[in-house]
């Protein structure tokens, strides 16, 4: 080891952009649902790479797929055909009946940007209706759809044409969607906003309003996709047929990738309408194929449904005084506390459990879906201890 831990922290403290609130940990290795710091201490990872590690860290089959591809070809712009990409696009479309094509990019925010452009292109209309508390990314288009001032302040003027309605309020949505609306853009479970699952009535109603008014329905599955909530995609809990589905995070096990699925109501896109240099690169596609094999072969969405429900029921049944509400879907879990969570996250880390916040008062758990029942019990014990302290 050339650098000591102190050197590493000092180096990043000095040279990294400064836009991340750092935790006092140097993470060097991961395996399944576990992370290790450079001294070898082990942590159960309920940050899950910010929701990118649904199949677990460093899965051998993902590593093998990447290695095999990287020795053949690392980059291949979409102007050329490529067998790995062709397979991946077909597999991705095959996950959702009615999906015709897949656009590939490199992150969640890029997927949302593309979906917004495709909706405007397809309808010839400018308007995008999104939800309060919604999060869709931080580049200027997706930031315009993101609601919270903490992300927007200081960056205005944002893109014109965006409006926000209260989540889960069908009347307000009804009022907001009109004949200049290109699309309604929604999460099925609001993630960054505090882990709020939408109701079936709201989401199905939103789809109906879109159909009636000639607008498209864009579902942002960046955080909820790839098994997280107990279905491959969260909209499948409610039988929705979105027109555009934005994906990212766990799509390629941590290799940067985003995607948009395009349904039947999206106009055929012509060459040059949009594009991405790295989009559809074969290494990410190889990782994505290995992810789909794991999710399907090990029935990880079903596992997330089972384990997540059990953990939520168990925590709720404890009636801990510090807990206001436990909510979520599958292994996307929010624990709303009566106080601020920043200190609680530090206390959890000291007990070997890494977790995320969602806003100021919610502890958010996004563990890899391969997490064992025993590991989840350790998480539960740690939560009980810090929430009872
Ligand atoms: C994380 C997230 C994004 C943005 O993804 P990035 O890869 O960070 O750009 C967009 N939408 C939702 C719902 C997310 O959770």
């Amino acid at each position: 080891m050339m650098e000591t831990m102190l050197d590493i922290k000092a180096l990043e403290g000095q040279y990294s952009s400064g836009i991340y609130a750092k935790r006092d940990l140097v993470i060097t290795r991961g395996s399944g649902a576990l992370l290790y710091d450079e001294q070898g201490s082990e942590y159960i990872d309920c940050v899950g790479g910010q929701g990118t590690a649904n199949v677990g860290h460093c899965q051998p089959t993902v590593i093998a797929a990447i290695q095999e591809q990287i020795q053949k070809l690392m980059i291949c712009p979409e102007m050329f055909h490529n067998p790995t990409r062709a397979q991946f696009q077909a597999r991705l479309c095959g996950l959702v009946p009615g999906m015709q094509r897949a656009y590939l990019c490199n992150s969640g925010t890029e997927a949302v940007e593309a979906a917004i452009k495709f909706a405007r292109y397809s309808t010839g209309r400018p308007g995008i209706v999104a939800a309060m508390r919604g999060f869709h990314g931080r580049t200027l288009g997706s930031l315009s759809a993101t609601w919270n001032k903490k992300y927007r302040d200081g960056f205005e003027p944002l893109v014109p044409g965006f409006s926000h309605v209260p989540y889960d309020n069908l009347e307000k949505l009804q009022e907001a969607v009109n004949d200049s609306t290109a699309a309604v853009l929604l999460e099925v479970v609001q993630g960054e906003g505090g882990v709020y699952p939408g109701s079936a009535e709201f989401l199905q109603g939103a789809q109906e309003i879109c159909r009636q008014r000639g607008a498209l329905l864009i579902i942002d599955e960046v955080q909820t996709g790839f098994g997280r909530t107990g279905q491959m995609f969260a909209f499948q809990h409610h039988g929705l047929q979105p027109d555009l589905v934005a994906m990212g995070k766990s799509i390629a096990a941590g290799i940067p990738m985003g995607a948009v699925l395009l349904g039947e109501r999206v106009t055929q896109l012509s060459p040059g309408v949009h594009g991405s240099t790295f989009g559809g690169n074969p290494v990410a596609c190889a990782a994505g194929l290995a992810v789909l094999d794991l999710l399907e072969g090990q029935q990880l969405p079903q596992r997330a449904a089972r384990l997540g429900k059990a953990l939520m029921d168990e925590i709720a049944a404890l009636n801990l005084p510090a807990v206001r509400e436990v909510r979520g879907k599958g292994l996307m879990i929010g624990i709303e506390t009566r106080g601020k969570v920043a200190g609680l996250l530090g206390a959890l880390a000291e007990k070997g459990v890494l977790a995320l916040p969602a806003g100021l008062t919610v502890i958010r758990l996004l563990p890899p879906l391969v997490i064992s029942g025993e590991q989840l019990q350790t998480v539960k014990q740690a939560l009980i201890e810090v929430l009872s302290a």
Side-chain angles (χ1 to χ4, degrees):
M1 275 279 140
M2 277 196 323
E3 293 101 359
T4 66
M5 187 154 76
L6 259 181
D7 291 336
I8 293 164
K9 290 180 189 167
L11 270 176
E12 284 205 50
Q14 181 171 356
Y15 293 110
S16 78
S17 61
I19 59 180
Y20 300 99
K22 293 277 195 187
R23 300 204 194 171
D24 195 25
L25 279 174
V26 178
I27 300 296
T28 55
R29 206 155 56 78
S31 173
L34 297 174
L35 288 176
Y36 299 86
D37 68 18
E38 57 149 29
Q39 290 166 324
S41 297
E42 181 179 288
Y43 299 87
I44 300 177
D45 181 23
C46 295
V47 169
Q50 209 111 257
T52 62
N54 286 9
V55 300
H57 293 285
C58 298
Q59 280 300 341
T61 56
V62 177
I63 294 172
I66 293 170
Q67 278 176 339
E68 193 188 327
Q69 180 61 51
I70 216 160
Q71 284 168 357
K72 282 192 231 156
L73 190 63
M74 279 191 213
I75 182 67
C76 176
E78 278 220 39
M79 71 178 83
F80 302 114
H81 295 278
N82 174 264
T84 311
R85 184 196 307 126
Q87 264 190 71
F88 182 62
Q89 285 174 328
R91 279 283 289 280
L92 211 49
C93 288
L95 296 174
V96 183
M99 287 298 161
Q100 316 266 298
R101 293 173 180 278
Y103 166 73
L104 301 177
C105 52
N106 316 286
S107 67
T109 199
E110 279 180 60
V112 172
E113 294 285 342
I116 292 167
K117 282 183 71 177
F118 297 159
R120 284 184 167 177
Y121 179 86
S122 193
T123 60
R125 302 171 174 189
I128 305 290
V129 179
M132 293 176 182
R133 269 190 338 228
F135 181 89
H136 300 287
R138 303 169 190 256
T139 52
L140 289 169
S142 64
L143 183 60
S144 306
T146 293
W147 179 71
N148 195 321
K149 277 191 162 312
K150 102 176 163 193
Y151 304 111
R152 301 165 62 100
D153 270 358
F155 303 109
E156 275 140 355
L158 296 175
V159 178
F162 287 70
S163 61
H164 294 87
V165 297
Y167 193 65
D168 241 359
N169 184 327
L170 216 45
E171 276 109 87
K172 293 281 197 245
L173 187 68
Q174 191 98 32
E175 288 165 23
V177 179
N178 54 40
D179 60 10
S180 70
T181 305
V184 172
L185 166 57
L186 295 170
E187 296 160 273
V188 175
V189 182
Q190 293 188 309
E192 306 298 310
V195 191
Y196 289 95
S199 67
E201 303 77 70
F202 173 68
L203 294 161
Q204 290 163 359
Q207 175 169 300
E208 185 150 333
I209 292 170
C210 287
R211 297 285 193 273
Q212 284 166 359
R213 314 249 162 108
L216 300 179
L217 177 64
I218 307 174
I219 295 292
D220 181 343
E221 290 273 354
V222 173
Q223 188 161 151
T224 47
F226 300 96
R228 169 60 55 197
T229 70
Q231 290 273 358
M232 187 62 84
F233 298 107
F235 68 78
Q236 294 170 325
H237 288 290
H238 307 297
L240 301 181
Q241 288 184 303
D243 302 300
L244 294 149
V245 184
M247 313 174 170
K249 294 206 164 99
S250 275
I251 186 171
I255 299 294
M257 186 180 225
V260 184
L261 288 186
L262 313 172
E264 291 156 0
R265 297 168 75 235
V266 179
T267 310
Q268 174 70 45
L269 305 171
S270 338
V273 159
H274 193 57
S276 163
T277 300
F278 287 124
N281 104 73
V283 180
C285 291
L289 282 166
V291 164
L292 294 179
D293 286 343
L294 281 167
L295 289 171
E296 288 169 355
Q298 301 190 4
Q299 302 198 314
L300 294 179
Q302 293 88 329
R303 183 184 170 77
R306 196 174 66 244
L307 293 178
K309 181 168 189 326
L311 183 65
M312 279 191 282
D313 287 350
E314 284 173 34
I315 298 172
L318 294 167
N319 280 314
L320 297 171
V323 174
R324 227 183 255 283
E325 190 181 25
V326 181
R327 53 178 184 255
K329 209 145 185 75
L331 280 172
M332 179 170 181
I333 298 174
I335 302 165
E336 170 107 43
T337 64
R338 294 188 193 279
K340 299 209 165 154
V341 294
L344 298 176
L345 297 175
L348 277 174
E350 277 170 26
K351 296 185 184 301
V353 173
L354 303 180
L356 284 162
L360 294 175
T361 57
V362 178
I363 297 175
R364 182 171 36 143
L365 307 176
L366 298 175
L369 312 184
V370 295
I371 192 168
S372 70
E374 200 179 321
Q375 286 165 335
L376 273 180
Q377 285 305 310
T378 306
V379 171
K380 184 179 117 188
Q381 277 313 317
L383 282 166
I384 293 172
E385 285 167 32
V386 306
L387 288 165
S388 308

